[in-house]
Amino acid sequence: MTRVLVVEDEPHIAEALVFLLEREGFAAKVIPDGGEAIGALGDYDLIVLDIMLPGRSGFEVAEALQGMAVRPKTCVLTAKGQTADRERMEALGVDAFVTKPFSNRALMETVRALIAAP
């Protein structure tokens, strides 16, 4: 079963994401704090990552991913959709970038494509 870590501090969004992911057959867990998430990254196949987080930012989480030998796919899901934020995350090697508000259908298409990619 594909394991997905949702790093999101907004409870309603996190709950919706878990619902969508579990409906697709994924095992999903939420960690609302960037610092806590950094310690758990290796346990997942996909990370859905917000930028604005307590503890450590999504940028810092993405930086931690760079040092991993086996790196999970990463989808940034954020309200910070400015070009500079997107470019910074791309430079850190994230696989996809989705801005809030988001379409459930488009997000899940992105997630499925990331999981299917080699």
Side-chain angles (χ1 to χ4, degrees):
M1 178 176 285
T2 301
R3 298 160 300 155
V4 181
L5 175 61
V6 175
V7 187
E8 170 63 62
D9 64 325
E10 174 57 47
H12 298 301
I13 294 173
E15 183 179 342
L17 291 171
V18 168
F19 173 79
L20 291 169
L21 291 161
E22 289 180 346
R23 185 175 69 184
E24 291 283 328
F26 301 121
K29 178 179 178 176
V30 175
I31 296 180
D33 179 275
E36 290 178 40
I38 288 174
L41 297 175
D43 297 334
Y44 296 91
D45 305 299
L46 173 73
I47 311 295
V48 177
L49 177 63
D50 191 8
I51 291 178
M52 296 180 289
L53 296 164
R56 303 296 261 311
S57 74
F59 294 114
E60 292 172 288
V61 176
E63 287 170 0
L65 286 164
Q66 283 189 309
M68 296 179 65
V70 177
R71 180 186 168 136
K73 302 287 185 170
T74 308
C75 176
V76 173
L77 178 65
T78 184
K80 290 181 61 75
Q82 293 87 354
T83 301
D85 295 322
R86 182 181 299 265
E87 289 172 350
R88 184 172 174 193
M89 280 298 196
E90 287 172 356
L92 291 170
V94 302
D95 301 292
F97 195 99
V98 177
T99 56
K100 296 174 187 173
F102 59 93
S103 151
N104 292 348
R105 181 178 177 189
L107 176 64
M108 292 313 299
E109 287 173 359
T110 300
V111 166
R112 284 190 296 271
L114 289 174
I115 295 299

